[in-house]
Structures are given as structure tokens and as C-alpha cells.
Amino acid sequence: MPALSPGPRPGPRHGRRGLLAAFALLPGCAPLLPPLAGGTAPEAKALLDANAEAHGLPALRRVNDVNVSYDGEWAPLIGRIQPALVDSGHRGPSQERLLPGHRLLAQNFTGSAGRKAVLRRWAANAPGTVRVRFEDRDATEEDRRAAALVADGYALFLLGPMLLAGPWAADRAPLLAPGGEERITVSGRARDCDILRARIAPGLGFSPAEELALYIGRADRLMHRVRFGLEGLESTRGAVAEVDLWDHMERGGIRWPTRFHERLLRPFPLAVHDWHLTGLDLDRGLTPADLEGETLSPRAAAPAGAPLG
């Protein structure tokens, strides 16, 4: 079955006003993939399990806390098109703390406009909650919805199939189907991939449902691309984006991607974000109390360790 279509491309005169209008005219109910019907296909479940195993799901199940840091660069235009989602004034370098067993993620960003702290809590069979704090202004409902979408996306990019094969997706009634095969190019390297289609409900952020396409390398069984929708925010419904992942490293028996590139596919093609892992350490012994206060506890706030070496 074919992968998601990027859709029509804008003409050369498609300026900022036209780009904003393109988002505004997107139909909220536009399907990302042909509808999935029936139950999960056995071959799709086998592909997900093999992919999650290759990434290190058995080791991840034993991890209490994951501590990472990121840095990167935004494409100039995307911040003007989607300021709430991109929030480039705050979403600069970040320190992020994930407690998989507690379904809890804390993200702390530092940008030119100030600092931003997000606490995302996932719930069984529900969208969960999100708390957003800025040091320079109060958070709006749009800020909260955008933050939930970003937090869920970053968990998906970091953990990939391990997220979909674990309790997080089990609470979202996953429906899986094979999506064919495709040769893709990631960071200049061609990779033959099997495509795994997945539908989860609830979806990313506060979306009622999400349809994903995971591109799984045949040679290494790692996820090198994920395609997804932006249904969790009113202003981006109907849009489609994808993230490439590469330069995986092993830490704690788990294969972690360290380089990321995001681009928009629909309603028009556009580079969005390049970022990379700058630090990673595991099992500090964190508890939810370390993340839930006004600020991170000292042991949670300590910068994530260097990713290499």
C-alpha cells in the first residue's frame, strides 16, 4: 500500500500570506492513509515486535528514567507560519526527563525569548494532561495543546517502535497493517525499508486519533523515518510531516537515534527543524516528585551526560 502522499505543491508566488491560508483551508477530517479496517494484521505485529526488539525494548522495560538533552536549528519560515507549535523563541536547547513507568515527561527549554517548562502526563485510554510554564508570560490553551503535541512527538522520535510496542500504545488501541516497501534516502544514504502503518487512539497530543507510517530498515531493523499528522492542534489539522532519524548509538542495551531532521509534506513541502542529541544518561533513580514541582529537583536538573564515549 503506498505511503502518505505529500499532496500538491505551492507555486513560486506562494508567500507567507498564502502559506498561512493553506493551513487555514486544510480539511480537519482529511485522512492521512487509506482507512484501516478490521484487526491488526499478524505480519504487521511481527514487524513491530522485531523492530522494537532491535531497538532494545527488553532493556527499556528495565529503565526507570531517561535523561536527554537536545540542540538544533529551525528553518526561518516555519516559525512565522506556526508560531505556537514551533515556538522558536523558547524551544532552543532542552533538557528532558522521561519516566516510562510513570508515563511522565518533563521538557525544559531555553531560547532567546526565555525559558519554557512542560510537564506531560499520559493516561490510559485518554489524552492525558499537560502543564506549561513560561518565565516571560502566561500559557494559553493553544500553548498547552501545542506543547502536548510536541511532547508526544519527541517521545515517538526518541523511542520509536518501543513506544508503540509498550504500554503507551497499548492504551491507545493500536491497529497495525503492512504498508509495502520503499527505498528512502536519509542523510544521503539509501535504505531499503518496510513500511508499517499504525493507527492509535487517542493520537499525538490531544488528537482523538493518529495514523503513522514507520519506515523500518531491512538491514538493521531500526526505524529511520516516521510520518505523522498534526491533528492535535486546530491550526495544523490536515497537515502531514515526517522526521528522519539516524546515527543510532547503543547505551544501556538500547539503540538511540542521535540525529533528527523534520520536514513538512502537506500542504506544501518545507524543511522545519534539524536537531541532535547532546546528552544522554539513564537511571538516576528519579521519581515523579522530581519532575512535578515548580522546578526540577537538583538530581533531575543536572545536565544529561555526554552522548558519546
Side-chain angles (χ1 to χ4, degrees):
M1 196 165 292
L4 304 178
S5 170
R9 303 195 174 206
R13 294 186 180 180
H14 209 308
R16 182 191 173 199
R17 186 182 300 271
L19 297 178
L20 291 169
F23 269 110
L25 293 173
L26 284 171
C29 60
L32 303 182
L33 288 165
L36 291 174
T40 289
E43 61 270 32
K45 180 63 165 59
L47 180 60
L48 175 63
D49 289 345
N51 191 207
E53 180 85 15
H55 276 266
L57 180 58
L60 181 65
R61 294 188 190 277
R62 299 189 293 270
V63 168
N64 176 73
D65 51 88
V66 180
N67 310 283
V68 297
S69 58
Y70 299 107
D71 198 2
E73 296 182 353
W74 291 99
L77 182 58
I78 193 64
R80 298 197 295 271
I81 297 171
Q82 276 300 312
L85 184 63
V86 172
D87 193 13
S88 56
H90 296 94
R91 284 182 57 199
S94 69
Q95 292 284 337
E96 311 197 7
R97 308 293 178 256
L98 174 65
L99 275 61
H102 295 278
R103 297 185 173 96
L104 196 63
L105 171 65
Q107 298 176 304
N108 284 257
F109 303 94
T110 303
S112 59
R115 296 177 181 173
K116 174 181 179 179
V118 174
L119 184 68
R120 176 70 165 127
R121 188 186 300 276
W122 296 290
N125 303 307
T129 62
V130 64
R131 185 185 75 195
V132 182
R133 290 195 175 108
F134 297 95
E135 71 173 358
D136 60 325
R137 64 178 178 84
D138 293 333
T140 66
E141 179 60 23
E142 186 178 29
D143 290 325
R144 286 186 282 271
R145 296 185 72 88
L149 181 56
V150 169
D152 290 7
Y154 269 54
L156 175 63
F157 307 149
L158 182 66
L159 300 180
M162 296 185 291
L163 193 70
L164 294 180
W168 186 87
D171 293 336
R172 284 160 169 74
L175 193 61
L176 306 172
E181 58 188 67
E182 185 176 336
R183 172 168 288 189
I184 65 173
T185 300
V186 174
S187 186
R189 178 179 172 183
R191 300 179 184 272
D192 292 317
C193 293
D194 292 309
I195 302 171
L196 176 65
R197 294 175 50 193
R199 185 183 189 278
I200 53 175
L204 303 178
F206 294 143
S207 167
E210 199 74 48
E211 298 205 19
L212 311 170
L214 282 61
Y215 290 71
I216 300 169
R218 287 188 164 183
D220 56 14
R221 311 315 297 165
L222 299 179
M223 185 181 81
H224 291 285
R225 176 174 293 173
V226 57
R227 194 170 292 184
F228 55 96
L230 299 170
E231 302 296 299
L233 195 61
E234 179 70 28
S235 58
T236 58
R237 287 181 182 167
V240 178
E242 66 183 16
V243 168
D244 287 349
L245 314 96
W246 68 100
D247 279 359
H248 290 74
M249 71 171 190
E250 190 276 333
R251 179 70 56 81
I254 301 165
R255 302 291 299 280
W256 307 93
T258 64
R259 300 288 302 277
F260 309 83
H261 171 74
E262 181 178 2
R263 58 189 159 269
L264 186 66
L265 299 180
R266 196 171 73 188
F268 43 81
L270 184 68
V272 172
H273 193 196
D274 283 292
W275 75 102
H276 59 281
L277 196 72
T278 59
L280 168 69
D281 63 73
L282 305 173
D283 287 334
R284 298 183 182 185
L286 301 181
T287 69
D290 290 303
L291 310 185
E292 293 171 335
E294 291 288 326
T295 60
L296 296 178
S297 73
R299 64 175 175 174
L308 301 179

